[in-house]
Amino acid sequence: MSVTAPRGFEAAGVAAGLKATGKPDVAVVVNRGPLKTGAAVFTSNRAKANPILWSQQAIADGVVEAVVLNSGGANCFTGPFGFQTTHQTAERAAELLGVSAGDVLVCSTGLIGTGDEVFRAKVLAGTAEAIATLSADGGDDAAHAIMTTDTVAKTSTLAGDGWTIGGMAKGAGMLAPGLATMLVVLTTDAVLDAAQADAHLRAATRVSFDRLDSDGCMSTNDQVTLMASGASGVEPDPTAFRAALAEVCTSLAIQLQCDAEGASHDISIEVIHAASEDDAVEVGRSVARNNLFKAAVFGNDPNWGRVLAAIGTTGADFDPYAVDVSMNGVRVCSDGGPDRPRDEVDLTPRATHVLIDLKVGDASATVYTNDLTHDYVHENSAYAS
């Protein structure tokens, strides 16, 4: 049931005609309370879509009654008309739910730079239809309605000590951090105030969505929202709740990685013995964004020299001539030189693990990425056609 697994939530997903396929394209998730706590993190791209501009204002008071999401159109770079469309979407949902428009967040995903009266009419009609069909069993329908190039819906749930967390996500491309590069809705029936929700969400995204760097491209529409209904009546242990939320977010992030556009390898880049966590992330990300390395993995070539060349561009504290690199369990580089023969490395499985030992400290981090394939280039060259 994803976002409706926790008590106090209803959801729906409907087909409003935004997608040429006729598949569901408008989703609504509503918090029935008794608490209406909310927190959200957004893309740090300076080019922000109209729903981001609206939601950043709406979340300021830490109250969220509902989230309206549409696929089939990003409503980005559509001028004043586009912002009015987002505003009217929140107003329509608020009117039908009997709440304030300022407590309704809006999310959109799809092609940038398109939007007209027909688009607006379909979004508004879809919002009304979704609200009319809200149910405690509607989480899966909502998860399918936010898909674009996704091939599967992404959902996750986790039961805690008297409370539950649920989540849904969409994303199959433009997965790079800053702060969260996809659309995600998280729900919980735990008792949280706005400050707690914000702190837990930022801590969880930092070690999950922020570590997903599929293609190094940052979107304009990315938003992760957490809503807490308090319907369980349980105030969770902060440490346990934060760990559980991070687990749900990591599950969703891995699902996004595994559905990345055109990918044939899911690559986990684990950096150990770094001087700091920031150094570990910087090193891992430098490899994740290196097209030569990603192309080599696509060709099943354990070219560890490209790993060293990539990390040498960072400002992290390490000696490149002391680094070890292992690929799928085979140490191919030791102390900056050749170790085991390359032909011992099997890169034919989809799951690919790269271990980089910097040998300077105790910090570690893992960054998740994918290979660079012909299918990725084709899919993104024909995206708007």
Side-chain angles (χ1 to χ4, degrees):
M1 294 188 293
S2 68
V3 291
T4 53
R7 287 161 283 186
F9 292 94
E10 294 180 340
V14 300
L18 295 170
K19 293 178 181 174
T21 59
K23 293 182 178 179
D25 46 29
V26 174
V28 176
V29 182
V30 176
N31 182 357
R32 298 297 191 184
L35 299 181
K36 306 297 178 69
T37 303
V41 292
F42 305 92
T43 180
S44 61
N45 196 326
R46 292 170 57 198
K48 292 178 170 61
N50 290 302
I52 296 295
L53 298 174
W54 169 268
S55 295
Q56 284 181 314
Q57 297 176 24
I59 196 62
D61 63 357
V63 177
V64 178
E65 296 269 6
V67 182
V68 180
L69 311 95
N70 76 269
S71 54
N75 192 13
C76 180
F77 291 119
T78 48
F81 175 86
F83 189 79
Q84 292 165 9
T85 298
T86 296
H87 193 168
Q88 289 183 25
T89 301
E91 288 182 327
R92 177 64 59 85
E95 177 186 3
L96 295 172
L97 293 169
V99 301
S100 168
D103 294 330
V104 177
L105 304 190
V106 180
C107 302
S108 297
T109 181
L111 191 63
I112 293 173
T114 61
D116 52 21
E117 292 286 357
V118 174
F119 172 82
R120 174 186 283 178
K122 289 180 177 179
V123 170
L124 295 178
T127 300
E129 182 182 352
I131 290 174
T133 57
L134 286 167
S135 78
D137 297 319
D140 289 338
D141 289 339
H144 282 86
I146 62 176
M147 294 167 55
T148 49
T149 56
D150 307 65
T151 64
V152 295
K154 289 90 173 175
T155 64
S156 182
T157 60
L158 190 150
D161 187 11
W163 44 266
T164 301
I165 299 173
M168 68 178 188
K170 68 79 51 185
M174 299 183 80
L175 302 178
L179 181 67
T181 52
M182 63 290 298
L183 297 187
V184 181
V185 177
L186 303 162
T187 57
T188 182
D189 51 16
V191 175
L192 301 175
D193 61 29
Q196 291 170 328
D198 184 76
H200 289 318
L201 180 61
R202 293 183 183 278
T205 56
R206 184 183 66 81
V207 297
S208 57
F209 299 123
D210 274 6
R211 304 284 171 85
L212 176 61
D213 205 323
S214 180
D215 55 14
C217 297
M218 186 189 298
S219 178
T220 56
N221 289 63
D222 312 320
Q223 179 172 327
V224 177
T225 303
L226 170 64
M227 295 189 288
S229 69
S232 69
V234 177
E235 296 183 19
D237 173 77
T239 300
F241 184 86
R242 184 167 297 190
L245 186 62
E247 184 175 340
V248 170
C249 289
T250 299
S251 170
L252 293 171
I254 297 301
Q255 291 177 58
L256 294 169
Q257 178 198 24
C258 293
D259 196 29
E261 292 169 344
S264 64
H265 289 81
D266 305 323
I267 309 169
S268 300
I269 303 167
E270 183 182 1
V271 181
I272 61 174
H273 297 135
S276 68
E277 186 178 8
D278 287 344
D279 274 7
V281 172
E282 182 182 2
V283 167
R285 200 177 310 289
S286 72
V287 179
R289 292 187 171 182
N290 187 280
N291 284 340
L292 286 175
F293 163 76
K294 292 157 77 75
V297 174
F298 171 60
N300 297 329
D301 176 14
N303 194 331
W304 56 267
R306 293 180 177 177
V307 174
L308 291 184
I311 69 177
T313 66
T314 71
D317 179 17
F318 65 89
D319 178 356
Y321 303 100
V323 171
D324 292 353
V325 177
S326 299
M327 304 182 80
N328 279 357
V330 178
R331 193 173 69 179
V332 287
C333 167
S334 177
D335 292 329
D339 193 352
R340 302 302 305 166
R342 297 184 186 208
D343 58 12
E344 292 185 9
V345 181
D346 182 9
L347 290 182
T348 56
R350 185 176 179 100
T352 302
H353 180 248
V354 177
L355 179 66
I356 302 171
D357 189 347
L358 299 182
K359 301 180 181 177
V360 292
D362 298 322
S364 63
T366 300
V367 175
Y368 304 96
T369 190
N370 305 92
D371 55 349
L372 179 59
T373 70
H374 303 303
D375 287 342
Y376 173 84
V377 175
H378 172 73
E379 185 163 341
N380 283 281
S381 65
Y383 181 75
S385 62

